[in-house]
Amino acid sequence: MGKKDILVVSAHAADYCTRAGGTIARYIREGYKVHIIALTCGARGESGDYWKNNPNGTVEECSDIRRRESQAAADFLGATIEFLNYNDYPLTIDEQRQRYLTRRLLDIRPELIFTHWLKDPTNPDHAITAEAVIKAMNSGSQIGAFPNTPPHYYANCYFFEPTVPIAELNEFAPDFYVDIGETYQTKLDAIAKFECQPQLAGFYQHFAAHRAFQAKIWTKRNIQYAEGFKRFTPYVGTMLPESQRDDD
């Protein structure tokens, strides 16, 4: 089957779960190892309920809470996670941070990478993360990226949903749909760990049904919930991938 390692790079604490939680859970069921890198905790821009309930709170306290929430969600999905604790809103990636991401990619050598879409003007942290991942893939494919470290081939990279419910504004047009019917409840239960963002379940329930409705058109299968992805790395094989149909 080849390598069974997946790297997920998430701009904020909850992004990996809301956008790809069902897919992550499905791959873990199939025996894949999934490692998540959360660049920020989202303390400044993605923790609305914390600040509403703690008007005298601190970024440090909020970050601690978000790390605990995100760790609990990753544990529930069955993934490992590391937190880089960068600032958010805005997220910045300098040379040192870029090289670290390349180093981690070379450590893990994933076959699959999930991360953000390249265009997201209403949430630049997402686009900055996507750009950093692509740079890491490019650097990591070069023989001189880290002396005495073999390069890694371009992994199969898939972008997940940008900011919802305005994905169309970001020109996101998925070309892969993953049926998450069997892992949808797992995803919902993991999202529930993010108490600082209680709105997430409603947003992503809507989009899981929306993507499933689109997927039905292509397959005529009874799909209830799906996650949409846009492939970055071109597919190379001896045969083209086929969609699953009712008779599969």
Side-chain angles (χ1 to χ4, degrees):
M1 183 180 290
K3 276 185 65 62
K4 301 180 73 172
D5 292 278
I6 298 175
L7 173 62
V8 185
V9 184
S10 182
H12 309 110
D15 292 335
Y16 70 88
C17 186
T18 54
R19 291 160 167 81
T23 302
I24 289 169
R26 183 58 185 261
Y27 271 96
I28 289 172
R29 283 189 180 189
E30 296 297 322
Y32 284 73
K33 296 179 181 178
V34 177
H35 184 69
I36 301 157
I37 297 177
L39 301 186
T40 83
C41 293
R44 288 172 169 80
E46 308 226 334
S47 303
D49 261 40
Y50 170 81
W51 296 109
K52 289 178 184 176
N53 297 326
N54 300 275
N56 297 316
T58 66
V59 170
E60 291 73 22
E61 180 183 56
C62 184
S63 295
D64 287 343
I65 292 171
R66 297 316 311 272
R67 278 192 295 270
R68 290 197 296 270
E69 291 177 347
S70 191
Q71 183 70 63
D75 290 345
F76 191 83
L77 293 174
T80 56
I81 189 168
E82 65 180 283
F83 302 96
L84 301 190
N85 301 312
Y86 301 155
N87 288 329
D88 65 307
Y89 284 67
L91 167 65
T92 60
I93 302 293
D94 59 15
E95 181 179 346
Q96 182 179 6
R97 292 178 175 185
Q98 185 64 59
R99 291 196 184 280
Y100 180 79
L101 189 57
T102 303
R103 175 73 268 175
R104 294 298 289 127
L105 186 149
L106 289 172
D107 291 340
I108 298 166
R109 297 182 177 273
E111 177 59 30
L112 290 163
I113 295 176
F114 303 153
T115 194
H116 295 268
W117 173 232
L118 287 163
K119 183 176 182 179
D120 203 338
T122 64
N123 197 323
D125 287 3
H126 294 168
I128 288 168
T129 299
E131 182 179 359
V133 171
I134 298 306
K135 287 180 178 178
M137 291 175 61
N138 184 59
S139 295
S141 71
Q142 307 304 315
I143 195 169
F146 285 89
N148 303 314
T149 302
H152 184 52
Y153 51 77
Y154 274 92
N156 293 284
C157 181
Y158 292 87
F159 302 121
F160 45 59
E161 296 281 354
T163 299
V164 302
I166 51 175
E168 287 75 14
L169 174 67
N170 305 314
E171 301 177 11
F172 181 73
D175 51 16
F176 278 81
Y177 295 84
V178 177
D179 181 347
I180 61 167
E182 294 182 6
T183 56
Y184 176 68
Q185 189 59 49
T186 301
K187 174 178 179 173
L188 276 189
D189 291 343
I191 289 176
K193 308 295 183 184
F194 295 98
E195 296 181 5
C196 290
Q197 292 178 282
Q199 78 279 9
L200 293 178
F203 278 10
Y204 288 93
Q205 182 173 15
H206 169 84
F207 253 74
H210 176 61
R211 295 307 184 197
F213 183 78
Q214 293 175 328
K216 288 179 186 179
I217 295 173
W218 299 110
T219 62
K220 306 303 181 185
R221 292 176 57 211
N222 183 25
I223 300 173
Q224 291 185 299
Y225 299 106
E227 289 173 338
F229 296 85
K230 182 74 174 176
R231 187 179 176 104
F232 173 73
T233 318
Y235 173 79
V236 179
T238 56
M239 299 179 70
L240 296 171
E242 301 177 34
S243 293
Q244 294 178 353
R245 308 288 181 180
D246 280 335
D247 57 352
D248 287 0

